[in-house]
Amino acid sequence: MPRDHRPAKSVRVLLAEDPDLPSGALAILLGLEPDIEVVAQVGRGDEVTRTALGVRPDVALLDIELAGLSGLDAAAELRDEVPDCRVLLLATFGRPGYLRRAMAAGAAGFLVKDGPVEELARAIRLVLTGETVIDPAFAAASPDEGPVAEAAP
């Protein structure tokens, strides 16, 4: 039987994404990373905090457009209820105010949903070191929101 090649301490990830998307694709791709383990998946924003309290993830990846409670509101709940959990918000495009609201909700990053999984995995690792990761496309789309540190290429 093959051995699990994960390090002794994998990054525990909670994934909350729109259930209308191809089911589990992102979780499968992230699971291929040797140091990342998707420990829970939910399809509604109002399930995020309860699930996080149960599985205690290191990072929560939240689609900004979720049923029941937006990813922005779920991020704010996590900030208050599970403060050790870092939050990365995922969106297809940035609307005015999203970036500012994401940072106000305590998010450690704001990324393009359909970007390469390697960039997402890199962002997960960076936020665990205390970095803030912002996709340059979102920073450029929000010039009225003030200076923002961008993700390195």
Side-chain angles (χ1 to χ4, degrees), residues 20-149:
D20 294 334
L21 298 175
S23 184
L26 184 55
I28 291 168
L29 291 172
L30 285 173
L32 295 175
E33 296 291 320
D35 60 336
I36 295 176
E37 178 184 6
V38 177
V39 295
Q41 296 179 69
V42 298
R44 296 179 52 88
D46 51 8
E47 298 173 342
V48 169
T49 300
R50 179 180 45 82
T51 302
L53 286 167
V55 300
R56 294 293 179 176
D58 301 306
V59 176
L61 296 177
L62 308 180
D63 189 330
I64 208 161
E65 300 287 335
L66 290 169
L69 190 66
S70 76
L72 291 165
D73 292 330
E77 273 192 6
L78 283 175
R79 177 197 61 217
D80 297 339
E81 300 294 325
V82 192
D84 291 339
C85 180
R86 303 286 286 170
V87 175
L88 284 170
L89 285 164
L90 306 173
T92 304
F93 55 88
R95 291 189 177 142
Y98 269 2
L99 181 56
R100 181 180 30 75
R101 287 186 62 206
M103 297 300 106
F110 192 46
L111 303 169
V112 174
K113 186 188 312 188
D114 299 326
V117 73
E118 296 82 12
E119 289 180 20
L120 182 56
R122 181 176 170 276
I124 289 169
R125 294 177 189 108
L126 281 173
V127 300
L128 285 176
T129 67
E131 297 286 329
T132 298
V133 182
I134 308 297
D135 189 288
F138 292 142
S142 302
D144 62 316
E145 295 189 40
V148 177

